[in-house]
Amino acid sequence: MPSYRLHYFPESGNSYKLALMLTLCGERFEPVWTDFGGGVTRTAEWRKSVNEMGEIPVLEVDGVKMTQTAPLLLKLAEQYGRFGAETADENFELLRWLFWDNHKLTGYMATYRFMRAFTEKNDPQVLKHFRRRLEDFLGILDGHLQHNEFAIGTRPTVADISMMAYLHYPSDEHGFDFAESYPAIHAWLGRMAALPGWKPAYELLPGKRMTNYAK
């Protein structure tokens, strides 16, 4: 079986997506904590030796460094025969929600949460703009989940793993009460947390934590 090393930091929902996928597939990985808050991913040396795109996570598979979470999730789903699509129609729906998440939900939530909780000073107007956009996206997802157990139907896929990652973090970080405002999302997060082997990010990803200024 392949050996895995995951370069990450605990607050990274994209790192969590890969850690959770591997864990749910019964695989172990060597954790490689990365000082994202200290700026290491912006150094020329790190980008030369680890990831030219300057991003976390990086998954090493038998020593080969691979990046970009969405294609890695799809690769792992195919490799392990889990959390993927079974038909062409399912594959279209999986990709539709996975790409929507990357462009909309994760894209905005990752930035909003980071600015809100992990930067000492932020612009209230910028946060207001991001919050308004997120409320729209969360409303779309909540409406979909009112009629579907998971993203593409009755079983979880990598689209669910991708969408739930940033939403499962503590509410003091992202500032949303899903049980109150988005009950279908809240129930879906509960279904994801009930999957055998599921663990939250701060259990799967050890290491020094960044200061949470939103507390």
Side-chain angles (χ1 to χ4, degrees), residues 88-161:
D89 287 344
E90 282 190 354
N91 189 59
F92 178 84
E93 280 298 291
L94 187 158
L95 293 176
R96 191 167 76 99
W97 285 101
L98 183 62
F99 292 174
W100 177 83
D101 173 58
N102 278 235
H103 181 55
K104 299 290 184 66
L105 186 60
T106 277
Y108 275 80
M109 179 60 86
T111 305
Y112 174 76
R113 171 175 161 264
F114 183 83
M115 293 174 61
R116 181 183 186 276
F118 302 114
T119 58
E120 190 170 7
K121 297 180 180 179
N122 50 62
D123 186 330
Q125 292 303 312
V126 173
L127 288 180
K128 182 179 179 181
H129 168 72
F130 273 79
R131 176 98 182 187
R132 185 167 57 246
R133 294 289 282 157
L134 279 167
E135 287 171 350
D136 183 23
F137 304 146
L138 290 167
I140 291 169
L141 180 59
D142 195 76
H144 181 69
L145 292 171
Q146 290 174 21
H147 308 287
N148 298 274
E149 291 183 60
F150 298 99
I152 68 169
T154 60
R155 58 186 177 79
T157 66
V158 291
D160 298 277
I161 291 172

Side-chain angles (χ1 to χ4, degrees), residues 4-19 22 29-36 40-41 46 49-51 54-61 63-69 72 204-206:
Y4 298 103
R5 301 178 80 230
L6 180 63
H7 300 249
Y8 70 94
F9 63 101
E11 295 81 5
S12 165
N14 285 318
S15 298
Y16 175 56
K17 295 173 188 182
L18 296 179
L22 288 170
F29 60 89
E30 179 186 343
V32 183
W33 179 81
T34 302
D35 189 8
F36 178 85
V40 68
T41 63
W46 193 89
S49 62
V50 183
N51 183 6
E55 297 175 335
I56 285 292
V58 175
L59 182 65
E60 290 189 51
V61 184
V64 177
K65 296 182 179 70
M66 306 183 74
T67 66
Q68 292 300 315
T69 307
L72 281 168
L204 281 181
L205 301 174

